[in-house]
C-alpha cells in the first residue's frame, strides 16, 4: 500500500444496466482523508458509483483501485470500506449493540472486546447506553447514528454514505451535518458522500463531483463548482443561477459565451443609479417578489431576459417598479462552449 | 315408531342404504357376471346405495353415525350393535325365504338375543391361511408359520414376510392356536379368555410383532401386499385368495390343523332405517339362491341357503364343499368378547382387547 | 432491490433447489404415467403396457365419478364464498381497530388451520351430535369453510396491513361514503389477495379428506370417492385419470392468479 | 355557490355510512360479530365439547360412556402404549418438520432471491401444482415407489445398489421388510405431502428480507455463508415457523398416510380415528386430541411472538 | 352562509391521543382566499390540525366552523374541503383520468361530463394528455400534480395540503412552489398548507402559524414571524438566529430581554473598525467558517457567547482571525418574557 496512492481511483469506469449507462466512463481520484461529495440529479449514477466502490457492483469496463490495490473481483466483504445506507439497513433482529458489534463478530473478535468497542463507538455518536435497545425503538436521527457507529467500529479506510441525512428533518439534519463533519475531521477517514442537497454538499465537502447522466461534469472544491461552473448544467444545478446567453453576456461586458451570474451578485438600484466602472448593468421591471426570510428574491424582466436577484430582506422595491440591476463584471462566469 | 318391526311390507321408498363388506354387494362393475343388484333395483324400484367398510369396527362406527338401513355385520359387530340398540328386531314373517336358511344359522347366537331375531344370515366363511405356492410346495399344516419365527421351506426366515389381521379380534386367532399348542392353558373358546389365557395370547402376539412388516387391514390392500410387498403367508379370506388366483398369482389357501376363526355375517336393520320397506325387500332378496350362490363364488364364502349350492354356474356344484360347507363346526365364528361368559367365571372384555391390540401393534 | 445482474446463483443452491423440485414432481409424473397403464387393479413397476383407454372409460362408462365431482365442486365453491365473506369481515375488523382482546381473537382465527383436521372433524361432529344436526352437504360445507375462513383471513389481513390508509381517507375526502369507498377503493385493492386466498381455500376444500370424513354422512365427495377407489380399486387408472384431469384443469387458473396477484403486489406497493 | 359543508343527497347508504362514521366501534362490532360467532363460538364451542368428553370415561363392561367427571381417561392416556403413540407421533412430526424446512429452504431461497420473470412463475407453479394435486393419489403414488416390488427397488436392482437399499432397510427401528412398511416410508411421504406448505411461507419471509440487509452484511465483512447464518436465516425464521405450524400440525393429525405407508404402529391421528370407532371410546379419543391441541397452543403462542403470523 | 365568516375557524379546539395533546386549545381564523401555512417541528400537531379540518378527526373539545357552518359531526365526505395528501394517495388501480374524475363519479356526474372536467383539471396542472396513464408510471412531481387536480376538480372551498412537496427534490420543489402559488392566486381558493420547510412557508404563504407541542405559538405574516419572533422558540425555529440573553442584549444597546439577532444582520469588520452610532458591536475570534454557496457562515466566539454571521461569499476572513461584529441596534428583536 503506497501512501501516495489515492484512496479511491476510478479509471474509465462504466456500469450499464441494459441500455442505461448508469456510470459512463468515469475517471476520478479521491484523496485519502478527503470529505468527497457526489452531487447530481436523481438517476445520474451517484448511488451506482458508491456501490462500485463498496463492491456491490462490478464495473463493466475500467478499473477501480482502493488505496492503490485493484478492487477488480474483490467481493464487498474483503474491502476495507464501509457503507452507511440511505435507509440505514439496521438489522431488525439485533439490538443496537449487536448491530454495531456485527462487523467485529464476523471478524471473530471476542465477545467482551467487541462489546467494549461497540460501546465506545456508540459513545462517539452520542448514543452511549443504547446498546440493548431494539432498533425499532429509535428515531430517524438515532438510527442514522447507529448505522454510522456500525460502519466506523470496523475502522474502514473509506466510509461511503448514501444520502444519510435525506430522511431527517431540517433541524436534525443541520445537527447531524456538524457531527459528521467533526467526526470525519477527527478520525481522518476518507468520506465519500452522496447527497441531493447542494447546501449540504457545499458546506461539508472538501471537493464535490457533479454527476449528470452517468458522467462527471465537474469536479472541484465547493467554491469552484459554485462560483466557476464550467457548464450550464452545473450553474443551474448548484444553487440558483441566471444563465446569460452569449449575446447578452457580450453586450454586458462579458465574453460571448454562455455565462452564469449568481442572483446574490446582482444589486437592485434605482432606475438611474450610477454604475461603477467595474460593473455591468441592465434595466427592467420588477415582476415578482418572494420573501425568503434572510433574503428577498426579486425577479426583474429586462428587455432580453428575466433576471433573478436576491437582496437582503427589507429592500423596499415593489412589483412593477422600474429598476436598474448592477453587478460586477467579474461575477459573470463564462462556461464551456455548448454547455 | 322407530324400533318396532314392520307388520307388513309395503311400497318401496325408492332406495336402500347398506353398509357392507367389500365384495358383498356387486352390481357387475368389477365383473359383469357378478351382479345381484341390477335386477333387484328393476323389480322393486329400490335403488341400492352401498358403503363398504373394511372392519367390523368401521361398520359399528358407521351404524352409530346412522343414515343407513342395513349392515352386513359379522359376529364381533352384531352383538355390539344389538347391545348398543342400533339395530331393530326383524319380523321373519315378512321374509318368505327365511325357512330356506341353513338350520345351523337360523338361531345363531350372534343375531338371536332372547329369542328375538336381529337380522338375516347372509354368508359365512373361514379366516384361511393364504400362502405363496412358490414358497410352500405343500400347504402349511399349522398357523405357526405366522406366529413363530422360523425358516420357511424356501430357506429364508418368515420375518417380514407374513401378515396378521389388523383388528383386536385377531387375538382370538392367537388363542385358537394356543388352545392346541398349549393345551395346559385350557382354552375352550377363543372368544372367552380368562386373564391367564388372555395374557398368553397377548404374549404370543407380542412375539409375533417382530415378524410382521405391516398388519393387513383391508382385503384389497392385502391383495396388493401379496403382489408387491413380498408377503408369503397370512391369515386371510377366501376373497383375497380368489382375486389373487384370478390374477394368476401363486397363492393358495388352507385351513391348518388348529382350525380357524371365521365370520358369519348377518344383514341387520338400523333402528332408524329410513327405508324399511326397501330394506325388507332386500332382506328377502339376500336369501335368493342365485344371489347366494354367485356371492359364494365371488367371495369364496359359504351360502346361508343350502339350496344355493346346487345348479349355480359360477359356484359349481363342488363350490360349497370347497369353500368349507362341511367345516361349520370347526370354525370359531367371530363374536364380541364380553366380561360375562359361559365357559369361564369372568373373561377379558372386548374393550380390553382393543386397547391391548393397539399396544401390540405399537411395540 | 437492485443489481441482480452480477449475482450468479451458487451452484450448491441451484442443485438443491432443483433436486427439491424434482422430489416434488417425480411422483406427480408417476400419477400421469399410471393414467396410461394397462393394469386394472394394482400397479406394478414398470407398467406392463400403456393405453389411453382409461380416459375413454372415465368419460363414458364411469358415471360414479360425476356425482362426487359435482359435490366437491359445490362444497368447495360454497365454502370458498363463505370463507371470502367471513374471512374478509374478520380481516377488516381486526386490521382497522385496536381493542382489548384483539390479539387473542387473531390467534383464534388461525386455530382451525393450526389444529389437525381430525380435531376439527371430530369436534364439529360431536357438536352436530349434541345439537342433533343431521349430516348433509351443509355439514360438509360448514367443516370446510371453518378452515377456509382462515386461509382467506390470512391473505386479506396481510393485504389490509399493507393497504395505504390514506387511500380510504382520500376517497372519503373526495366525497365517497363508507360503502362507496369499500366498493371503489378497498375491494379493488384487496381483490387480488382475496383471489389468492379464495383459490387456496378452494384447493384445500376440494382436496380435503379428513374433515370431510367426519362431517359427511352419506355424501361422497371426490376425495372420498378416490379413497374408496384406491383402497378397493375397480379400475385404478381411472383414479389417476381423474387426478390428471383436475391437475390440468387447474393449471391455468393458478397461473392466472399468479400474474394477477403479482400485479396486485406491484401496484399495492407503489403508492409510496 | 354550494354550501361549504355540503348537504348532498344521502340515501339509505349515506345515512348508514354517517352512522358508521360517527360510531366506528359499531362498525368493528358489526364486522367482527359474524366471523367471531363462527370461529369463536361454533368452532371453539365444538372444541370445548370435545374437550369435555375427555373428562368422561368408558365403562369397560358395557362399553358405554359414563357421563361423570373423572381423570381416569387421562390416566389411560399415559399408559405405556398410549404414551408411546404420542411420543412416536411427536417425534415424527418434529422430524418431518425439520426435514421439510431443510428441503424447502433452498427452493424458497432460490425462488425468492434468484428466480426472475418466467423462472419465478415456473417456481410458483412448481410449488402450487403439487398442492392442487389430489393428496390421496399422491400418497398412493408413493406406495408404488416404496413397495418392496416398487420403483426404488427396481432402480436399486438396475443400478446394482440393492446392497444399499438392504442396508437401509436393515437399520434398527426405522427400517423394515420394505420401505413402505417402515418409518422411513411414512416419513418420506409426510415430507413430500407437506413440503409445499413449508415452501410458501418460507419464500414469503425471504422475499421480505430487503436486499440491502444482505449488502450491509457483506459490507461489514461477512462472507455469503456468514451472511446467511447471521442475517438471512434469522430473518427467514418466522416464515419457517409459520410453515412448521402446517407441517407439524398436519403430521400430528393425519391418519391416512401412516395407514397406507407404515408399519402398523399407530400415530395419534390413527389412534383417535380408531378409538372413536372401536368400542366407541370417545373419551380416550378426545383425550388424545388434547395432545395436539396443547402442543399447537404452545406452538402458536411462540410463533405469534416470533412474528410468524405475518407470513402465514 | 355569510361572506364575512372566516374560511376556517378553530374555537378552543383540542384533540388528544391517549396522553398526547396533539392539538391543544387552538383558536384560529383562516380568511377566505388566504394561502395559510402551518409550520412547526415534527409532532407539533400540524397534520392533526389539517385532519380536523378535513373531518378525519373530531375535536375532543372546542368547535370548528367552515365558512360559518359548524363542522361538528360532519363526516369528511360531506365537507366541501379537499386534501392533497403528503404521499398523494393516488388510487393505484385507476388511471390518472379515473383518479381525477373520482370525486365527480361519486357525486353522480355523467361519464362524458366528468371526463371533460378531469381533462381540463389535468390541463390546469399541465398534465394534458396523461388521462390514461397508470399512476405508477408517473414521476413524483407528476403525481403531486395529479393529486392536486383530483382535489381541485371538485371545486373545494378549502384545499388542504400536507407537505405536498416534501418528497420532491430541490429543483422540482422550487418549480412546484411557483405553480402552486400561481394556481392559488388564480383560483382564489383558501389553501391551508403544512410544511416543515421554512423557506417554503415564508415565500409562499400570506400568513403563517407556528406550532409547538400542539399549541400555536405565533401567527402572522412571513415577515412578522421572521423578523419579529415573539419567542425564542420561533426565533430559533424559523431560519437560524442568534438568541441573545437579556444581559448581553442590555449591554449591547438592546432591551434587557431575550433577543433575537439574525446572522445576516451582522457585519464582520476588522478588529478596530469604526462602529456607526446606530450600531452595536462585539469583538471575537473566528472559530468556524462554512461555505454555503451564496453566503458563507462564520461563527465568532465573543467573550460571552458564540455568534453566527452570514456574509456574502468571498469574504476573506480565516479561522482564528480576531474580528469585530457590527449590527444595527434595530436588528435586535426583543421577545416575550420567559420565551
Ligand atoms: N439494478 C439496476 N437495474 C437497472 N437499472 C439500474 C439499476 N441500478 C441503477 N439503475 C439505473 O441506473 C441509473 C443510475 O442510478 P443511480 O441509482 O446510481 O442514480 P442516483 O444518482 O443514485 O439517483 P438518486 O438520486 O435517485 O438516488 C438510473 O437510471 C437507474 O434507473
Ligand atoms: N392516530 C394517532 N394516534 C396516536 N397519536 C397520534 C395520532 N396522530 C397523531 N398522534 C400524535 O399527535 C402528535 C401530533 O402529531 P401530528 O401528526 O399532528 O404532528 P405533525 O406536526 O404533523 O408532525 P410531522 O411534521 O412529523 O408530520 C404527535 O405526538 C403524534 O405522535
Ligand atoms: N391437500 C390436502 C391436505 C389437507 C390439508 N387440510 C388442512 C386442514 C387443516 N385443518
Ligand atoms: Mg441514489
Ligand atoms: Mg404531519
Amino acid at each position: 500500500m503506497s501512501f501516495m496512492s489515492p484512496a479511491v481511483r476510478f479509471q474509465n469506469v462504466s456500469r450499464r444496466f441494459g441500455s442505461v449507462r448508469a456510470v459512463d466512463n468515469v475517471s476520478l481520484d479521491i484523496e485519502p482523508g478527503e470529505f468527497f461529495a457526489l452531487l447530481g440529479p436523481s438517476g445520474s449514477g451517484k448511488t451506482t458509483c458508491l456501490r462500485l466502490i463498496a463492491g456491490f457492483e462490478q464495473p463493466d469496463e475500467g478499473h477501480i483501485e482502493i488505496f492503490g490495490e485493484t478492487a477488480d473481483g474483490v467481493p464487498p466483504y474483503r474491502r476495507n470500506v464501509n457503507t452507511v445506507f440511505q435507509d440505514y439497513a439496521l438489522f431488525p433482529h439485533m439490538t443496537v449493540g449487536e448491530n454495531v458489534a456485527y462487523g467485529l463478530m464476523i471478524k471473530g473478535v471476542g465477545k467482551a472486546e467487541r462489546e467494549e468497542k461497540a460501546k465506545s463507538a456508540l459513545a462517539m455518536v452520542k448514543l452511549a447506553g443504547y446498546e440493548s435497545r431494539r432498533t425499532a425503538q429509535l428515531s430517524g436521527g438515532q438510527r442514522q447514528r447507529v448505522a454510522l457507529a456500525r460502519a466506523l467500529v470496523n475502522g474502514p479506510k473509506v466510509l461511503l454514505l448514501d444520502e444519510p441525512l435525506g430522511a431527517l428533518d431540517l433541524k436534525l439534519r443541520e445537527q447531524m451535518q456538524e457531527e459528521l463533519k467533526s467526526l470525519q475531521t477527527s478520525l481522518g477517514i476518507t468520506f465519500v458522500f452522496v447527497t441531493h442537497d447542494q447546501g449540504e454538499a457545499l458546506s461539508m465537502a472538501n471537493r464535490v463531483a457533479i454527476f449528470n447522466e452517468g458522467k462527471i461534469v465537474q469536479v472541484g472544491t465547493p467554491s469552484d463548482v459554485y462560483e466557476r461552473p464550467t457548464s450550464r448544467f452545473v450553474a443551474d444545478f448548484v444553487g440558483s443561477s441566471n444563465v446569460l446567453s452569449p449575446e447578452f453576456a457580450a453586450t454586458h461586458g462579458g465574453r460571448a459565451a454562455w455565462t452564469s451570474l449568481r442572483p446574490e451578485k446582482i444589486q437592485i438600484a434605482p432606475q438611474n443609479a450610477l454604475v461603477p466602472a467595474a460593473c455591468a448593468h441592465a434595466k427592467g421591471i420588477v415582476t415578482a417578489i418572494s420573501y425568503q426570510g434572510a433574503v428577498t428574491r426579486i425577479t426583474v424582466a429586462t428587455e432580453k431576459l428575466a433576471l433573478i436577484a436576491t437582496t437582503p430582506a427589507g429592500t423596499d422595491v415593489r412589483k412593477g417598479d422600474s429598476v436598474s440591476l448592477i453587478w460586477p463584471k467579474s461575477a459573470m462566469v463564462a462556461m464551456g462552449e455548448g454547455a | 315408531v322407530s324400533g318396532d318391526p314392520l307388520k307388513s311390507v309395503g311400497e318401496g321408498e325408492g332406495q336402500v342404504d347398506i353398509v357392507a363388506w367389500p365384495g358383498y354387494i356387486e352390481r357387475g362393475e368389477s365383473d359383469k357376471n357378478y351382479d345381484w343388484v341390477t335386477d333387484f333395483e328393476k323389480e322393486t324400484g329400490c335403488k341400492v346405495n352401498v358403503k363398504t367398510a373394511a372392519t367390523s369396527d368401521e361398520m359399528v362406527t358407521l351404524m352409530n353415525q346412522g343414515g343407513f338401513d342395513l349392515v352386513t355385520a359379522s359376529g364381533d359387530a352384531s352383538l355390539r350393535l344389538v347391545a348398543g340398540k342400533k339395530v331393530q328386531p326383524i319380523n321373519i314373517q315378512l321374509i318368505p325365504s327365511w325357512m330356506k336358511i341353513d338350520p345351523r344359522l337360523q338361531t345363531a347366537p350372534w343375531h338371536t338375543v332372547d329369542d328375538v331375531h336381529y337380522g338375516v344370515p347372509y354368508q359365512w366363511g373361514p379366516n384361511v391361511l393364504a400362502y405363496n405356492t412358490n414358497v410352500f410346495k405343500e400347504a402349511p399344516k399349522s398357523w405357526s408359520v405366522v406366529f413363530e419365527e422360523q425358516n420357511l421351506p424356501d430357506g429364508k426366515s418368515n420375518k417380514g414376510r407374513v401378515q396378521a389381521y389388523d383388528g383386536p379380534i385377531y387375538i382370538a386367532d392367537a388363542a385358537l392356536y394356543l388352545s392346541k399348542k398349549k393345551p395346559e392353558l385350557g382354552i375352550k373358546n377363543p372368544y372367552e379368555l380368562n386373564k391367564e389365557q388372555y395374557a398368553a395370547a397377548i404374549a404370543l402376539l407380542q412375539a409375533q410383532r417382530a415378524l410382521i412388516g405391516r398388519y393387513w387391514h383391508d382385503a384389497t390392500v392385502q391383495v396388493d401386499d401379496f403382489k408387491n410387498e413380498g408377503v408369503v403367508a397370512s391369515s386371510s379370506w377366501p376373497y383375497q385368495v380368489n382375486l389373487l388366483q384370478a390374477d394368476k398369482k401363486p397363492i393358495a389357501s388352507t385351513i391348518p390343523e388348529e382350525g380357524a376363526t371365521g365370520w358369519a355375517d348377518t344383514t341387520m336393520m338400523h333402528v332408524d332405517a329410513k327405508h324399511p320397506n326397501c330394506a325388507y325387500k332386500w332382506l328377502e332378496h339376500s336369501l335368493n339362491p342365485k344371489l347366494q350362490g354367485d356371492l359364494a363364488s365371488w367371495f369364496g364364502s359359504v351360502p346361508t341357503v343350502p339350496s344355493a349350492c346346487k345348479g349355480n354356474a359360477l359356484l359349481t356344484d363342488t363350490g360349497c364343499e370347497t369353500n368349507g360347507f362341511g367345516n361349520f363346526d370347526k370354525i370359531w365364528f367371530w363374536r364380541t368378547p364380553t366380561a360375562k361368559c359361559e365357559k369361564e367365571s369372568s373373561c377379558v372384555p372386548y374393550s380390553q382387547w382393543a386397547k391391548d391390540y393397539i399396544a401390540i401393534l405399537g411395540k | 432491490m437492485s443489481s441482480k445482474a452480477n449475482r450468479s446463483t451458487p451452484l450448491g443452491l441451484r442443485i438443491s433447489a432443483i433436486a427439491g423440485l424434482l422430489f416434488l414432481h417425480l411422483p406427480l409424473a408417476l400419477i400421469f404415467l399410471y393414467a396410461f397403464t394397462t393394469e386394472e387393479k394394482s400397479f406394478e413397476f414398470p407398467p406392463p403396457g400403456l393405453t389411453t383407454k382409461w380416459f375413454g372409460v372415465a368419460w363414458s362408462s364411469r358415471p360414479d365419478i360425476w356425482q362426487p365431482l359435482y359435490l366437491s365442486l359445490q362444497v368447495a365453491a360454497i365454502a370458498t364464498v363463505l370463507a371470502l365473506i367471513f374471512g374478509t369481515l374478520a380481516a377488516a375488523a381486526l386490521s382497522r381497530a385496536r381493542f382489548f382482546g384483539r390479539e387473542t381473537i387473531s390467534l383464534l382465527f388461525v386455530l382451525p388451520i393450526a389444529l389437525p383436521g381430525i380435531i376439527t372433524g371430530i369436534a364439529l361432529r360431536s357438536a352436530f351430535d349434541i345439537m342433533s344436526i343431521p349430516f348433509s352437504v351443509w355439514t360438509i360445507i360448514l367443516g370446510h369453510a371453518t378452515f377456509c375462513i382462515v386461509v382467506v383471513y390470512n391473505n386479506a389481513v396481510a393485504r389490509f396491513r399493507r393497504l395505504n390508509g390514506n387511500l380510504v381517507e382520500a376517497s372519503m375526502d373526495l366525497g365517497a361514503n363508507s360503502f362507496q369507498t369499500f366498493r371503489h377503493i378497498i375491494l379493488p385493492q384487496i381483490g387480488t389477495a382475496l383471489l389468492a386466498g379464495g383459490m387456496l381455500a378452494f384447493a384445500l376444500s376440494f382436496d380435503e379428506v379428513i374433515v370431510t370424513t367426519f362431517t359427511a354422512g352419506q355424501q361422497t365427495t371426490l376425495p372420498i370417492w378416490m379413497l374408496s377407489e384406491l383402497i378397493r380399486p375397480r379400475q385404478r387408472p381411472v383414479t389417476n385419470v381423474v387426478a390428471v384431469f383436475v391437475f390440468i384443469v387447474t393449471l391455468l387458473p393458478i397461473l392466472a392468479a399468479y400474474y394477477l396477484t403479482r400485479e396486485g403486489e406491484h401496484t399495492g406497493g407503489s403508492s409510496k | 355557490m354550494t354550501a361549504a359543508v355540503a348537504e348532498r343527497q344521502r340515501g339509505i347508504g349515506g345515512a348508514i355510512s354517517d352512522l358508521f362514521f360517527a360510531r366506528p366501534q359499531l362498525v368493528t362490532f358489526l364486522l367482527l360479530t359474524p366471523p367471531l360467532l363462527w370461529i369463536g363460538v361454533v368452532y371453539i364451542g365444538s372444541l370445548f365439547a370435545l374437550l369435555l368428553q375427555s373428562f368422561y370415561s368408558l365403562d369397560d363392561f358395557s362399553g358405554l360412556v359414563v357421563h361423570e367427571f373423572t381423570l381416569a381417561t387421562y390416566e389411560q392416556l399415559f399408559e405405556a402404549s398410549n404414551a408411546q403413540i404420542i411420543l412416536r407421533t411427536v417425534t415424527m412430526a418434529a422430524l418431518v418438520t425439520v426435514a421439510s424446512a431443510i428441503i424447502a429452504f433452498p427452493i424458497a431461497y432460490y425462488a425468492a432471491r434468484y428466480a426472475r420473470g418466467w423462472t419465478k412463475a415456473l417456481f410458483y407453479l412448481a410449488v402450487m401444482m403439487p398442492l392442487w394435486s389430489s393428496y390421496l393419489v399422491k400418497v398412493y403414488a408413493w406406495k408404488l415407489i416404496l413397495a418392496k416390488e416398487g420403483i426404488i427397488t427396481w432402480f436399486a436392482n438396475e443400478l446394482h445398489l440393492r446392497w444399499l437399499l438392504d442396508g437401509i432397510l436393515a437399520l434398527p427401528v426405522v427400517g423394515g421388510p420394505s420401505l413402505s412398511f417402515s418409518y422411513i416410508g411414512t416419513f418420506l411421504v409426510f415430507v413430500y405431502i407437506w413440503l409445499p406448505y413449508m415452501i410458501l411461507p418460507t419464500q414469503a419471509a425471504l422475499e421480505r428480507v430487503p436486499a440491502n440487509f444482505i449488502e450491509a452484511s457483506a459490507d461489514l465483512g461477512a462472507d455469503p455463508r456468514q451472511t446467511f447464518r447471521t442475517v438471512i436465516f434469522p430473518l427467514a425464521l418466522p416464515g419457517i415457523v409459520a410453515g412448521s405450524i402446517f407441517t407439524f400440525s398436519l403430521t400430528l393429525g393425519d391418519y391416512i398416510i401412516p395407514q397406507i405407508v407404515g408399519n402398523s404402529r399407530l400415530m395419534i391421528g390413527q389412534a383417535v380415528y380408531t378409538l372413536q370407532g372401536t368400542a366407541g371410546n370417545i373419551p380416550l379419543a378426545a383425550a388424545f386430541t388434547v395432545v395436539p391441541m396443547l402442543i399447537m397452543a404452545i406452538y402458536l403462542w411462540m410463533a405469534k411472538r416470533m412474528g410468524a403470523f405475518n407470513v402465514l
Side-chain angles (χ1 to χ4, degrees), chain D residues 136-153:
Chain D
L136 291 165
V137 177
K138 283 184 295 186
V139 176
Y140 268 85
W142 272 93
K143 201 169 129 92
L144 184 63
I145 296 173
L146 298 170
K148 190 165 195 158
E149 313 287 332
I151 294 173
I152 288 180
T153 310

Side-chain angles (χ1 to χ4, degrees), chain B residues 209 214-215 228-229 362-363, chain D residues 88 149 178 180 263 265:
Chain B
R209 182 65 182 94
R214 186 169 63 208
Y215 290 76
N228 288 329
E229 298 287 1
K363 248 191 78 166
Chain D
R88 175 184 307 134
E149 313 287 332
S178 100
S180 77
N263 55 17
R265 290 182 175 86

Side-chain angles (χ1 to χ4, degrees), chain C residues 112-113 115-117 120 147 204 207-208 211, chain D residues 131 135 193-194 197 250:
Chain C
I113 199 89
L115 288 182
T120 304
F147 63 79
L204 287 182
D207 197 30
E208 179 62 48
V211 174
Chain D
L131 208 61
Y135 154 85
I193 299 286
W194 307 141
Y197 294 89
L250 289 169

Side-chain angles (χ1 to χ4, degrees), chain A residues 183-196:
Chain A
L183 255 175
Q184 193 262 346
T185 315
S186 64
L187 296 172
I189 295 172
T190 312
F191 274 34
V192 185
F193 186 92
V194 168
T195 179
H196 67 258

